[in-house]
Amino acid sequence: MERSSSKKDPSRIFYPLVILVSLFLAYWVPSAFTRRHFKFSIASVEASHSRRNVDMKAKLLRITPGTQGERVSLEELAARSPNGLLVNFWATWCAPCLEEIPALESLHRQLSGTKGLALPHLITISVDEKAKDVSALYKTLAFQPTFEVLHDPDGAFAESMGTTRFPETYWIKGNGEVNYKWLGPQFWLSEAILRRLAHD
């Protein structure tokens, strides 16, 4: 017959503690290996209404494949979209941003292919220091992005909007008013998001 030990097994406390510390380091401590001071949100799904206005005249470099080198303003892009812009801030060093790219591509095709509804036009803005980092990323993807990609190399435009965590997405009306804001990666083809984009 086994005698029950009054001593607690230290591994029962040690291993859960190691897991908790690892999760903390992975999800809450800013990456020490990025070249920028930005932090990013891993799994936040917060969204909010926000009525701040955006500088629609600010010009950013277009780095979409095939149309690189041209400077374009959000005002110019919004002029072609009756229900404003869906602006996603991201970076190649942000793992959640990269995971979100296929969903954004699917969303862009959905928005572009929906007839009879006034939907926002999707653009993305990279805050990478160098445009060539984004170009290098394109070569690793299994598809060619069809959404607009602009470049904000010093992060000034992102910071002017209060963006310090990535990915972060804004729905901006043509007059520069922020209609809605999503923090962190999203399930962009969810019924809730598509319904909001179609009816808000």
Side-chain angles (χ1 to χ4, degrees), residues 4 61 98 106 132 173 186:
S4 61
L61 187 69
L98 301 186
S106 296
K132 69 179 183 181
K173 296 294 189 174
Q186 306 294 319

PDB file of all heavy atoms in Angstrom, residues 4 61 98 106 132 173 186:
ATOM      1  N   SER A   4       0.833   8.138   1.263  1.00  0.00           N
ATOM      2  CA  SER A   4       0.702   9.466   0.651  1.00  0.00           C
ATOM      3  C   SER A   4       1.741  10.386   1.249  1.00  0.00           C
ATOM      4  O   SER A   4       1.923  10.426   2.458  1.00  0.00           O
ATOM      5  CB  SER A   4      -0.696  10.040   0.883  1.00  0.00           C
ATOM      6  OG  SER A   4      -0.916  10.168   2.257  1.00  0.00           O
ATOM      7  N   LEU A  61       3.833  57.215 -50.178  1.00  0.00           N
ATOM      8  CA  LEU A  61       4.376  56.513 -51.341  1.00  0.00           C
ATOM      9  C   LEU A  61       3.598  55.226 -51.589  1.00  0.00           C
ATOM     10  O   LEU A  61       3.379  54.431 -50.681  1.00  0.00           O
ATOM     11  CB  LEU A  61       5.850  56.200 -51.102  1.00  0.00           C
ATOM     12  CG  LEU A  61       6.628  55.605 -52.274  1.00  0.00           C
ATOM     13  CD1 LEU A  61       6.795  56.650 -53.372  1.00  0.00           C
ATOM     14  CD2 LEU A  61       7.986  55.113 -51.801  1.00  0.00           C
ATOM     15  N   LEU A  98       1.118  39.761 -40.493  1.00  0.00           N
ATOM     16  CA  LEU A  98       1.366  38.839 -41.602  1.00  0.00           C
ATOM     17  C   LEU A  98       0.289  37.757 -41.661  1.00  0.00           C
ATOM     18  O   LEU A  98      -0.147  37.364 -42.737  1.00  0.00           O
ATOM     19  CB  LEU A  98       2.753  38.200 -41.457  1.00  0.00           C
ATOM     20  CG  LEU A  98       3.942  39.168 -41.434  1.00  0.00           C
ATOM     21  CD1 LEU A  98       5.249  38.390 -41.431  1.00  0.00           C
ATOM     22  CD2 LEU A  98       3.902  40.118 -42.613  1.00  0.00           C
ATOM     23  N   SER A 106      -8.804  38.528 -49.058  1.00  0.00           N
ATOM     24  CA  SER A 106     -10.158  38.000 -49.275  1.00  0.00           C
ATOM     25  C   SER A 106     -11.200  39.084 -49.067  1.00  0.00           C
ATOM     26  O   SER A 106     -12.171  39.192 -49.824  1.00  0.00           O
ATOM     27  CB  SER A 106     -10.432  36.834 -48.319  1.00  0.00           C
ATOM     28  OG  SER A 106      -9.572  35.758 -48.582  1.00  0.00           O
ATOM     29  N   LYS A 132      11.647  48.198 -49.550  1.00  0.00           N
ATOM     30  CA  LYS A 132      12.144  46.934 -50.108  1.00  0.00           C
ATOM     31  C   LYS A 132      11.805  45.745 -49.211  1.00  0.00           C
ATOM     32  O   LYS A 132      11.707  44.611 -49.677  1.00  0.00           O
ATOM     33  CB  LYS A 132      13.649  47.002 -50.367  1.00  0.00           C
ATOM     34  CG  LYS A 132      14.508  47.046 -49.127  1.00  0.00           C
ATOM     35  CD  LYS A 132      15.984  47.089 -49.507  1.00  0.00           C
ATOM     36  CE  LYS A 132      16.856  47.055 -48.259  1.00  0.00           C
ATOM     37  NZ  LYS A 132      18.287  47.119 -48.590  1.00  0.00           N
ATOM     38  N   LYS A 173     -14.228  58.001 -43.331  1.00  0.00           N
ATOM     39  CA  LYS A 173     -15.157  58.558 -44.313  1.00  0.00           C
ATOM     40  C   LYS A 173     -14.410  59.541 -45.222  1.00  0.00           C
ATOM     41  O   LYS A 173     -13.315  60.000 -44.908  1.00  0.00           O
ATOM     42  CB  LYS A 173     -16.310  59.277 -43.600  1.00  0.00           C
ATOM     43  CG  LYS A 173     -17.172  58.339 -42.768  1.00  0.00           C
ATOM     44  CD  LYS A 173     -17.909  57.355 -43.636  1.00  0.00           C
ATOM     45  CE  LYS A 173     -18.939  56.572 -42.831  1.00  0.00           C
ATOM     46  NZ  LYS A 173     -19.764  55.702 -43.649  1.00  0.00           N
ATOM     47  N   GLN A 186      -8.223  40.836 -37.022  1.00  0.00           N
ATOM     48  CA  GLN A 186      -9.655  40.563 -37.037  1.00  0.00           C
ATOM     49  C   GLN A 186      -9.983  39.403 -37.970  1.00  0.00           C
ATOM     50  O   GLN A 186      -9.224  39.104 -38.884  1.00  0.00           O
ATOM     51  CB  GLN A 186     -10.428  41.800 -37.526  1.00  0.00           C
ATOM     52  CG  GLN A 186     -10.140  43.080 -36.765  1.00  0.00           C
ATOM     53  CD  GLN A 186     -10.609  43.038 -35.325  1.00  0.00           C
ATOM     54  OE1 GLN A 186     -11.688  42.542 -35.036  1.00  0.00           O
ATOM     55  NE2 GLN A 186      -9.790  43.539 -34.416  1.00  0.00           N
TER      56      GLN A 186
END
